[in-house]
């Protein structure tokens, strides 16, 4: 079982992941359309013949330079059955196909991709989970040091995991030169551009094209709900903050959605099911997006909140559902105002918020622009980039 | 009824849209939680009191500079009822609220946002619809001239509507200098960056990090199915094409999905419901996205295809659903290979494909890199930007 040791070097499955052998192959039982595998820990996993042929890792089926599949499964017969299947001396599964093609599967890889109910549940349990928070986060806010994040990959990884799991972090000790933001954002990936630019300046402006660029109080919201994909991470870097007022306010949208699910399941369902239109328009753009306020993933977990009262279009639900929609919407907004959920801080020069824009709703108290200068810079990086970066950093450990 | 004329100049509802008065207000009937409006064409529309209060367009409720709402509907009583509602001399609806607040609604705006069943169906019917195509598009391909698109907004609008509705276009007469692409892309909006860059070069490379950068045949696919939001528009600009082979191939993924819905509804449903993982990894990135191959919008219309055999991870469906998933997947791929759907063309230097990457699957025949130079440049622009640009251009006509 020498395959059980360390990372796999075999070019066949060199996909930068490790597949430790937690259980060996004990027995194989060929069935009509699948091979039943019994593992050394007694687990039973069916592997359909089409699935096995589809996942043959040989250099003919997968181009080794790109690690991308060349075989197309539609090119084999629908009723494909192997000529023979056996366990090899090194613990691999070997399958001989009628056309002479031979496939070999590493047992660690096979176990990692088994799709019996138990294996699927196991993998689901291992997924990173959101750590919900409430006002208590005021005392436990994940705070990171700029210099450490910039030079040390381990600190970077800690920061990115906090962003993924907690969804609200602060970075301290940042230079206050405009543009510093992009250096730290690029530690993750390229920046997501929008009609507001690559970096955007949050300052009170007479010609504001968004309430964000006024001195108003801004209610709790996500940024760019008017786009199909709301930006994943939002960065807000404070260059100057000498104005009276303007403190930052955050709530965990996932915690609020879960409270709603628990306390008023019908309101929760309404916000998952009835789409709402968000709109943002100026002289040069007219964005509209129709989507529900709460989005769930395939497993029913809350994966996104989309809300910004000032960008919401008139509700356009069927008339009979309108009272339920208003009840649910008002309920959600009322929850965002409850003290139990709120985290409140003043951001000082050299500090930066970085948070999951699709989860952590943010707000700003009104400020007095005549009382002093206030200048923040912001930018976005998408969740895909965050998760990819985490995987690559974890790979290198 | 002077409000009926032309675009509305009133700052109250200056949202850059026009609200012609197709019917006037005939009668108002106050009900328990809504106002029943009877129109001059006998249509009846309920407007809930909360909805009316929520959509008050006055300068106190909407900040006129940004046209964004300041009022939050949670700040009025749930059982709000007006003190009075009446039709004014100019045809507007006037509502007086118990706290003295007065709201006035333009009848054209009100009709445009009415949510009785008839009004909602009417608006649904007016939405732009995809024009499905098959191999016949070989003779009717929408082709545009580069110079005209660059200088004339009317041609630009025609091109963008073809992209929205047909999803496959060609632009001719382009300079063959590298980077030309970004000038025409920026006629729409900023370019969407990815890990492959802002502009990407499609050339055969020894160190390929994607099968796209080899000389291989590439099966029909969408780009970046490994990201939550697949890029909306894909541009492919031919700078040089002296190699033998490498012709472009397209199919309308929406037409194929509709054929599947018609010919094998169970397979269609399987591809809408069972999510599939797409993966792309190299030394610096590791993207994964779990999503169904066919996505539907809130009305059941096909809105996205996500497919790339070479980026697909092992299927991870429950074992009992695995045979159905393979049947449906093979069926879809088999349909993409049917001659009835295929549009095939060789792109020459100075020509550019631009297509809806989430609809129009593209492929490339293998080419012989030793037979001559072949260099394409590509980039992406998202659907949000396309649709916003169309709305702004339509506004100006």
């Amino acid at each position: 079982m020498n395959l059980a040791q360390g990372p796999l070097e075999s070019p066949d499955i060199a996909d930068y992941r490790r597949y430790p052998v937690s259980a060996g192959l004990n027995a194989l039982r060929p069935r009509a359309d699948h091979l039943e595998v019994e593992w050394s820990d007694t687990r039973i996993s069916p592997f359909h013949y089409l699935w096995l042929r589809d996942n043959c890792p040989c250099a003919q089926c997968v181009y080794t330079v790109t690690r991308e599949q060349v075989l197309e499964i539609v090119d084999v017969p629908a009723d494909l059955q192997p000529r023979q299947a056996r366990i090899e001396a090194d613990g691999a599964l070997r399958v001989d196909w009628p056309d002479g093609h031979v496939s070999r599967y590493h047992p660690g890889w096979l176990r990692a991709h088994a799709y019996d109910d138990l294996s699927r549940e196991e993998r689901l349990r291992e997924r990173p989970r959101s750590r919900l928070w409430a006002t208590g986060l005021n005392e436990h806010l994940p705070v990171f040091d700029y210099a450490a994040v910039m030079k040390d990959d381990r600190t970077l990884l800690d920061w990115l995991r906090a962003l993924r799991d907690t969804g609200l972090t602060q970075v301290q000790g940042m230079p206050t030169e405009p543009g510093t933001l992009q250096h730290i954002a690029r530690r993750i990936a390229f920046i997501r551009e929008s009609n507001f630019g690559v970096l955007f300046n949050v300052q009170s402006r007479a010609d504001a094209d968004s309430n964000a660029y006024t001195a108003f109080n801004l209610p709790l919201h996500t940024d760019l709900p008017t786009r199909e994909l709301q930006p994943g991470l939002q960065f807000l870097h404070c260059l100057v903050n000498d104005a009276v007022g303007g403190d930052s306010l955050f709530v965990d949208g996932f915690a609020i959605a879960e409270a709603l699910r628990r306390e008023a399941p019908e309101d929760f369902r309404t916000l998952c099911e009835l789409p709402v239109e968000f709109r943002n328009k100026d002289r040069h753009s007219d964005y509209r997006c129709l989507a529900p306020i709460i989005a769930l993933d395939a497993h029913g977990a809350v994966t996104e909140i989309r809300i910004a009262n000032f960008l919401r279009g008139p509700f356009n639900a069927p008339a009979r559902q309108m009272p339920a929609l208003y009840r649910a919407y008002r309920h959600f907004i009322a929850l965002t105002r409850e003290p139990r959920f709120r985290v409140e801080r003043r951001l000082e020069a050299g500090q930066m918020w970085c948070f999951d824009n699709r989860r952590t709703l943010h707000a700003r108290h009104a400020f007095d622009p005549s009382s002093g200068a206030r200048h923040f810079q912001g930018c976005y990086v998408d969740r895909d980039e965050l998760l990819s970066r985490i995987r690559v950093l974890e790979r290198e450990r």
Side-chain angles (χ1 to χ4, degrees), chain A:
Chain A
M1 294 280 286
N2 56 357
L3 284 173
Q5 309 307 321
L8 282 165
E9 300 301 338
S10 155
D12 290 353
I13 50 174
D15 72 352
Y16 301 107
R17 301 185 210 187
R18 299 166 189 212
Y19 296 107
V21 178
S22 61
L25 299 170
N26 234 17
L28 308 179
R29 286 184 286 271
R31 307 297 190 200
D33 66 350
H34 68 276
L35 184 68
E36 195 174 278
V37 166
E38 188 189 299
W39 300 91
S40 57
D41 61 356
T42 76
R43 185 174 299 181
I44 307 272
S45 302
F47 291 100
H48 289 81
Y49 299 131
L50 281 178
W51 189 96
L52 286 169
R53 185 66 193 85
D54 194 18
N55 290 292
C56 174
C58 85
Q60 231 181 298
C61 294
V62 177
Y63 181 48
T64 45
V65 174
T66 59
R67 302 157 307 281
E68 290 175 1
Q69 188 172 8
V70 176
L71 171 80
E72 289 190 87
I73 193 60
V74 70
D75 290 322
V76 308
D79 59 355
L80 182 73
Q81 289 198 326
R83 217 168 50 194
Q84 196 186 34
R86 64 175 192 267
I87 304 166
E88 299 215 307
D90 64 0
L93 168 65
R94 174 184 165 128
V95 178
D96 289 69
W97 303 103
D99 62 356
H101 195 87
V102 175
S103 303
R104 292 181 80 260
Y105 309 88
H106 180 273
W109 181 91
L110 209 52
R111 176 73 170 220
H113 294 86
Y115 50 90
D116 59 276
D117 291 347
L118 210 58
S119 299
R120 295 182 80 239
E121 281 160 28
E122 204 172 70
R123 284 202 295 279
L124 205 55
R125 272 198 308 274
E126 283 163 8
R127 288 196 317 166
R129 266 161 208 275
S130 298
R131 285 195 297 269
L132 302 187
W133 48 268
T135 191
L137 195 70
N138 271 308
E139 277 72 59
H140 303 99
L141 184 71
V143 175
F144 297 85
D145 176 65
Y146 177 75
V149 167
M150 290 306 290
K151 70 164 193 282
D152 172 30
D153 277 357
R154 177 68 225 194
T155 307
L156 176 62
L157 180 57
D158 289 343
W159 178 44
L160 301 189
R161 284 175 167 165
L163 280 168
R164 180 191 64 190
D165 302 333
T166 305
L168 176 60
T169 68
Q170 191 177 91
V171 176
Q172 298 185 339
M174 279 182 74
T176 54
E177 279 79 52
T180 301
L181 190 51
Q182 67 191 318
H183 302 303
I184 190 162
R186 286 189 187 282
R187 280 289 275 159
I188 308 177
F190 58 89
I191 294 170
R192 170 163 161 187
E193 191 168 350
S194 79
N195 63 317
F196 297 111
V198 174
L199 299 190
F200 50 90
N201 289 291
V202 185
Q203 283 167 301
S204 172
R205 294 204 314 248
D207 65 335
D209 53 357
S210 159
N211 283 358
Y213 304 139
T214 66
F216 293 175
N217 159 64
L218 273 186
L220 285 154
H221 67 284
T222 55
D223 266 23
L224 306 198
T226 53
R227 313 304 150 90
E228 259 190 282
L229 183 73
Q230 298 184 105
L233 296 180
Q234 178 167 172
F235 298 71
L236 274 177
H237 175 212
C238 178
L239 305 180
V240 191
N241 195 2
D242 297 334
V244 172
D247 286 12
S248 307
L249 192 63
F250 298 96
V251 299
D252 181 353
F254 289 4
I256 288 176
E258 292 301 343
L260 194 68
R261 171 151 39 192
R262 219 164 40 235
E263 297 165 18
E266 228 179 286
D267 289 347
F268 177 81
R269 209 162 36 244
T270 297
L271 296 187
C272 292
E273 287 172 7
L274 286 185
V276 168
E277 194 181 57
F278 293 91
R279 301 172 169 189
N280 183 239
K281 51 212 166 313
D282 68 12
R283 281 188 301 279
H284 308 293
S285 62
D286 186 339
Y287 295 102
R288 304 181 203 171
C289 179
L290 184 73
I293 287 171
I294 301 175
L296 305 179
D297 69 14
H299 312 290
V302 175
T303 186
E304 172 173 76
I305 307 295
R306 184 184 294 264
I307 206 157
N309 192 68
F310 49 98
L311 299 173
R312 186 170 52 86
F315 284 160
N316 178 28
R320 68 187 176 286
Q321 293 179 300
M322 198 56 83
L325 180 53
Y326 270 107
R327 193 187 60 208
Y329 182 72
R330 289 163 49 100
H331 196 161
F332 190 96
I333 300 289
L335 285 172
T336 67
R337 294 181 173 190
E338 287 190 15
R340 60 170 162 153
F341 290 116
R342 291 160 87 95
V343 167
E344 202 153 347
R345 288 270 186 115
R346 182 180 175 81
L347 201 67
E348 303 294 350
Q351 298 180 331
M352 181 182 80
W353 292 117
C354 186
F355 54 93
D356 183 339
N357 176 62
R358 299 164 67 188
R359 166 182 177 180
T360 299
L361 314 189
H362 65 292
R364 169 189 78 203
H365 288 303
F367 63 93
D368 175 2
S370 69
S371 63
R374 187 181 193 274
H375 185 189
F376 284 40
Q377 282 195 317
C379 72
Y380 306 116
V381 167
D382 272 325
R383 260 193 206 165
D384 282 329
E385 304 305 325
L386 170 70
L387 299 178
S388 167
R389 192 75 170 104
I390 289 176
R391 289 182 196 114
V392 171
L393 288 168
E394 286 178 341
R395 188 197 283 169
E396 286 162 359
R397 283 179 54 212

